[in-house]
Amino acid sequence: EQVARAAEVEIIAHIAAEFDYGLIWIGLYDRATRRMFGQGGHTPTGDRQVLTQDFPLAPGELLEQVIVQQRLAGVPNLQEEFRAGRWQKIAQRLKIQGTLLFPIRYKDTCFGAAILGVEQWGIPAQPGDKARLSMLFGELGAALSRTDVAQQQQQIKQISAPLLTLLAELSHLPSVESRLTAITRETHQFIDANRTYIYWLDRQNRLLKHRIGQPGSKRITNASAPRSSPDPPAQIAVQDVGPFYQSLTANSLI
């Protein structure tokens, strides 16, 4: 993450020194919330508050199109661009007109976008500028991709630790019941579940029978009315959950 942040700062400084853009903004895209989070940049008025704001992306907005299509967009006058969302009013306040919006991407993944603007009307790019800037943002995309991969690998390591501990514990437990209890307990804690139950398949009678469970803690709905988790059904007929059972027999995660 520090490497990606350093790359952002370096690219912003390079653009400010080599190009004549009054507005420089870099934002990262969060897929879960569909929002852009400002990382910094430069404004002609010195107003840095706008640079770290977050922007929700609505369908059809300019930034949303840049993220989804992963293509550069040019706007002659951002102040008059109704698809700019909140950036239209920001452009009016900063007196920004001509604007370029670059996707920050690596391969097929878009990590964010950059906005470069000037006070003059028109598409603000000299011959060759778009290619140079695309290369810069491509390098930033590659740095963000490396950071993303490193975070995923670290998460995998953290996930594997309790699993390895559980496997070591299971080898010393004497009975199936004690092993199922350990598996249920660790699963319940690991995913912070509200309820965790194990059902055993009775093939002869075509029933799923409740074997063991972790009901979880009480959930407080108000200060005076605690409510316990309901008891699980003792058994479930396979015919009552046909598609569910078929998916399980096909070894499919549901």
Side-chain angles (χ1 to χ4, degrees), residues 138-158:
E139 288 297 323
L140 177 56
L144 290 168
S145 177
R146 290 191 292 270
T147 298
D148 191 47
V149 170
Q151 290 175 341
Q152 290 180 18
Q153 291 175 342
Q154 182 64 29
Q155 185 179 22
I156 291 172
K157 291 179 182 178
Q158 293 173 352

Side-chain angles (χ1 to χ4, degrees), residues 8-190:
E8 292 168 8
V9 172
E10 184 177 347
I11 287 175
I12 290 170
H14 178 79
I15 294 174
E18 298 293 327
F19 298 89
D20 191 24
Y21 290 108
L23 171 65
I24 303 171
W25 179 81
I26 289 178
L28 297 184
Y29 177 57
D30 181 69
R31 295 175 185 83
T33 61
R34 291 184 59 81
R35 300 179 80 90
M36 295 287 294
F37 291 88
Q39 304 299 298
H42 169 80
T43 64
T45 61
D47 180 7
R48 300 194 60 82
Q49 183 178 3
V50 67
L51 300 175
T52 54
Q53 291 182 19
D54 60 285
F55 298 84
L57 297 186
E61 281 190 1
L62 203 55
L63 263 178
E64 193 257 356
Q65 291 181 6
V66 170
I67 293 293
V68 172
Q69 299 176 6
Q70 300 187 23
R71 294 175 58 185
L72 165 69
V75 180
N77 189 349
L78 194 61
Q79 298 180 33
E80 299 178 353
E81 179 55 66
F82 69 93
R83 296 176 302 159
R86 280 166 49 190
W87 277 104
Q88 183 179 18
K89 290 186 176 181
I90 293 172
Q92 292 169 357
R93 188 171 77 246
L94 300 178
K95 295 181 171 56
I96 293 296
Q97 295 192 63
T99 307
L100 291 172
L101 297 91
F102 285 85
I104 300 173
R105 58 187 291 271
Y106 181 73
K107 295 184 178 179
D108 294 328
T109 302
C110 191
F111 295 96
I115 298 178
L116 308 176
V118 297
E119 296 182 5
Q120 296 77 31
W121 186 93
I123 305 298
Q126 299 296 323
D129 285 357
K130 291 181 183 179
R132 292 171 60 194
L133 290 165
S134 293
M135 289 178 61
L136 286 173
F137 293 125
E139 288 297 323
L140 177 56
L144 290 168
S145 177
R146 290 191 292 270
T147 298
D148 191 47
V149 170
Q151 290 175 341
Q152 290 180 18
Q153 291 175 342
Q154 182 64 29
Q155 185 179 22
I156 291 172
K157 291 179 182 178
Q158 293 173 352
I159 290 174
S160 64
L163 176 60
L164 293 174
T165 301
L166 175 61
L167 290 175
E169 180 184 355
L170 293 178
S171 64
H172 296 93
L173 294 176
S175 66
V176 172
E177 203 71 22
S178 61
R179 293 175 184 177
L180 289 177
T181 300
I183 290 171
T184 306
R185 181 191 68 242
E186 290 300 323
T187 302
H188 187 82
Q189 293 176 355
F190 182 74

